[in-house]
Amino acid sequence: AQKITQTQPGMFVQEKEAVTLDCTYDTSDQSYGLFWYKQPSSGEMIFLIYQGSYDEQNATEGRYSLNFQKARKSANLVISASQLGDSAMYFCAMREGQNQGGKLIFGQGTELSVKP
Amino acid sequence: DGGITQSPKYLFRKEGQNVTLSCEQNLNHDAMYWYRQDPGQGLRLIYYSQIVNDFQKGDIAEGYSVSREKKESFPLTVTSAQKNPTAFYLCASSMDWGGSGREQFFGPGTRLTVL
């Protein structure tokens, strides 16, 4: 069965440093998509970045990049130059297969705390 | 501004009562979704709708019901059959059902507490 695993319940990073949040996934499909969302304390989910299973290059969006290692089934989020406003919960999610359409499966999340 | 609105932000319910959570979007999106989030957990899919007048059960649909009579609206009813309804409920929408890179846009959420 499809599954998303985030093994880091909490992470700390110093302001202006880079941090990597881990995500591994399990799927038997060849076509799938991977998403990262940020959830601040207000509760709203904010889309950060997307990686398709057939994309040859790692996705990047500003300070966010996705380290996609298909053979290892990992899709780690890298945040460069951390800011205090980056403190939040971060969720990795997967859309599996074309027929599953928009259905997303979420991991348990990682709580990131940025220290000044 | 385009977006998704959910109301109310906080909702208190007595045991045995049905309550309806509102979700409205003005993004002209075809697909809409309801998720439940428990403390320290990820999101779980309750119901989804690919298009108006159609909806499907997600992974945890028992004790919930939905309707999709209008494209912009996807209300969720938490019935008395839901044994543990206290949670944070998030509504989302996406441009369409299929296709790659179709991220979902989320509303601000409704926090439901059963007294």
Side-chain angles (χ1 to χ4, degrees), chain B residues 50-95:
Chain B
Q50 300 178 45
I51 199 165
V52 66
N53 291 323
D54 176 75
F55 51 83
Q56 307 292 333
K57 292 181 179 180
D59 299 321
I60 55 165
E62 186 175 351
Y64 300 98
S65 65
V66 294
S67 64
R68 186 84 188 278
E69 298 176 1
K70 298 187 293 183
K71 186 175 184 178
E72 59 271 21
S73 179
F74 191 40
L76 173 74
T77 296
V78 184
T79 75
S80 57
Q82 170 49 236
K83 298 305 179 188
N84 185 20
T86 295
F88 187 53
Y89 291 87
L90 285 156
C91 178
S93 71
S94 61
M95 187 182 302

Side-chain angles (χ1 to χ4, degrees), chain A residues 50-103:
Chain A
Y50 167 81
Q51 180 85 41
S53 58
Y54 293 119
D55 294 342
E56 294 185 353
Q57 293 195 344
N58 288 344
T60 60
E61 290 286 350
R63 293 187 298 112
Y64 305 107
S65 61
L66 201 152
N67 184 2
F68 181 47
Q69 298 187 37
K70 195 170 183 177
R72 298 180 61 183
K73 293 189 175 179
S74 73
N76 299 339
L77 177 71
V78 180
I79 305 174
S80 63
S82 297
Q83 302 172 356
L84 295 179
D86 293 335
S87 293
M89 284 290 292
Y90 288 82
F91 290 95
C92 180
M94 177 174 65
R95 173 190 57 79
E96 186 181 46
Q98 293 293 336
N99 291 334
Q100 295 300 315
K103 290 176 66 177

Side-chain angles (χ1 to χ4, degrees), chain A:
Chain A
Q2 62 272 27
K3 187 177 180 182
I4 293 283
T5 302
Q6 294 180 253
T7 57
Q8 306 154 312
M11 290 278 288
F12 289 92
V13 64
Q14 204 67 36
E15 193 178 7
K16 300 181 184 178
E17 292 185 350
V19 63
T20 298
L21 306 183
D22 295 341
C23 172
T24 58
Y25 59 92
D26 186 20
T27 180
S28 56
D29 275 6
Q30 296 302 309
S31 175
Y32 52 90
L34 296 156
F35 301 78
W36 275 92
Y37 282 86
K38 172 184 179 181
Q39 186 179 42
S41 57
S42 59
E44 188 168 353
M45 299 286 283
I46 302 167
F47 167 73
L48 296 178
I49 197 166
Y50 167 81
Q51 180 85 41
S53 58
Y54 293 119
D55 294 342
E56 294 185 353
Q57 293 195 344
N58 288 344
T60 60
E61 290 286 350
R63 293 187 298 112
Y64 305 107
S65 61
L66 201 152
N67 184 2
F68 181 47
Q69 298 187 37
K70 195 170 183 177
R72 298 180 61 183
K73 293 189 175 179
S74 73
N76 299 339
L77 177 71
V78 180
I79 305 174
S80 63
S82 297
Q83 302 172 356
L84 295 179
D86 293 335
S87 293
M89 284 290 292
Y90 288 82
F91 290 95
C92 180
M94 177 174 65
R95 173 190 57 79
E96 186 181 46
Q98 293 293 336
N99 291 334
Q100 295 300 315
K103 290 176 66 177
L104 291 180
I105 301 156
F106 284 83
Q108 302 275 59
T110 295
E111 184 172 10
L112 177 66
S113 298
V114 180
K115 296 180 176 180

Side-chain angles (χ1 to χ4, degrees), chain B:
Chain B
D1 288 334
I4 302 174
T5 57
Q6 290 186 243
S7 61
K9 186 172 183 178
Y10 298 96
L11 185 58
F12 298 90
R13 188 195 94 172
K14 293 182 180 179
E15 285 195 27
Q17 286 182 336
N18 292 356
V19 290
T20 297
L21 282 58
S22 169
C23 176
E24 303 277 332
Q25 54 98 359
N26 61 3
L27 299 168
N28 200 34
H29 285 173
D30 282 326
M32 297 187 73
Y33 315 81
W34 273 105
Y35 292 92
R36 169 182 172 139
Q37 186 178 27
D38 293 288
Q41 302 293 317
L43 279 63
R44 292 183 291 166
L45 183 64
I46 304 172
Y47 266 98
Y48 61 96
S49 169
Q50 300 178 45
I51 199 165
V52 66
N53 291 323
D54 176 75
F55 51 83
Q56 307 292 333
K57 292 181 179 180
D59 299 321
I60 55 165
E62 186 175 351
Y64 300 98
S65 65
V66 294
S67 64
R68 186 84 188 278
E69 298 176 1
K70 298 187 293 183
K71 186 175 184 178
E72 59 271 21
S73 179
F74 191 40
L76 173 74
T77 296
V78 184
T79 75
S80 57
Q82 170 49 236
K83 298 305 179 188
N84 185 20
T86 295
F88 187 53
Y89 291 87
L90 285 156
C91 178
S93 71
S94 61
M95 187 182 302
D96 54 35
W97 179 244
S100 63
R102 295 302 193 200
E103 73 266 28
Q104 295 180 16
F105 296 84
F106 284 80
T110 292
R111 196 167 298 277
L112 173 64
T113 303
V114 174
L115 303 173

